[in-house]
Amino acid sequence: GLVPMTLVGIPLQRTSAMWRAAGRSYEEAVSFHRALGHVMMAMYSYHGIGYMVYWLLLGIDRFAREMSDWFHCGKCTHINNLAGAVSWAAGFLLWMTSLKWARRRNYARFITTHQLHLVFFGFGCIHWPTLLAYAAPSIVFYAADLMLRLHTSRNGVEGIARVRPSTAE
């Protein structure tokens, strides 16, 4: 799930210079983003559900201890499992609203739910701080694309079209 995470946050704006420089259309970029998102969430679901099932097989006490490690902050020197569960839940909700049937049924919900990427990445980094290194390329690409768009939007356009008189009578 780490390799798709590295690439899934590459900017998807229609005006993104990065995709134009790569010679790809906006539609190809969206298809790439969707595929990465599905692969990433399938892998993270396997990871998260697998660990939770394993802990439950060891007993409810073990599961409770693993999921409450955040509450014992002074002793928590490893992976923060509760933050991982919060991250996965946000990612899962984002994933479910991204499925074609859900997206087409309510596009506004899809767009709104996509803001959960902040919760997904934020709690993911709390779960495992090294994750920030994998998310960094997406953050850098997004920041660069944002700065480029801000820079180009400041330059006024001198003329878009020349108005000609109508020849129709």
Side-chain angles (χ1 to χ4, degrees):
L2 295 174
V3 172
M5 177 177 271
T6 303
L7 301 172
V8 77
I10 293 175
L12 275 178
Q13 292 79 12
R14 288 190 183 273
T15 58
S16 178
M18 189 177 144
W19 292 109
R20 284 193 314 256
R24 298 288 177 229
S25 69
Y26 173 73
E27 290 74 21
E28 289 172 317
V30 169
S31 294
F32 184 66
H33 177 79
R34 283 183 190 149
L36 286 173
H38 290 309
V39 169
M40 179 182 70
M41 282 310 301
M43 293 172 93
Y44 285 145
S45 293
Y46 178 75
H47 167 79
I49 293 170
Y51 270 106
M52 287 189 250
V53 167
Y54 173 71
W55 295 327
L56 282 169
L57 290 174
L58 293 177
I60 193 72
D61 293 339
R62 174 68 182 263
F63 179 79
R65 191 169 56 248
E66 291 290 346
M67 294 307 289
S68 65
D69 60 354
W70 203 349
F71 304 123
H72 312 291
C73 224
K75 298 177 187 175
C76 182
T77 58
H78 60 290
I79 303 297
N80 186 324
N81 296 319
L82 184 58
V86 171
S87 174
W88 176 80
F92 189 77
L93 186 58
L94 193 155
W95 188 25
M96 290 299 106
T97 60
S98 298
L99 297 175
K100 187 175 185 177
W101 64 269
R103 187 178 66 246
R104 297 232 170 150
R105 182 174 292 158
N106 192 337
Y107 191 76
R109 181 181 301 142
F110 159 73
I111 291 296
T112 303
T113 309
H114 248 64
Q115 300 314 307
L116 285 174
H117 76 278
L118 298 171
V119 175
F120 177 70
F121 283 115
F123 278 87
C125 289
I126 294 170
H127 168 64
W128 186 52
T130 307
L131 186 68
L132 186 58
Y134 290 93
S138 292
I139 295 167
V140 169
F141 283 132
Y142 183 79
D145 190 66
L146 183 63
M147 291 299 116
L148 183 62
R149 284 187 291 127
L150 285 173
H151 175 71
T152 55
S153 70
R154 294 186 64 164
N155 299 336
V157 178
E158 291 185 23
I160 294 176
R162 186 172 62 181
V163 179
R164 298 189 317 192
S166 174
T167 57
E169 292 188 36

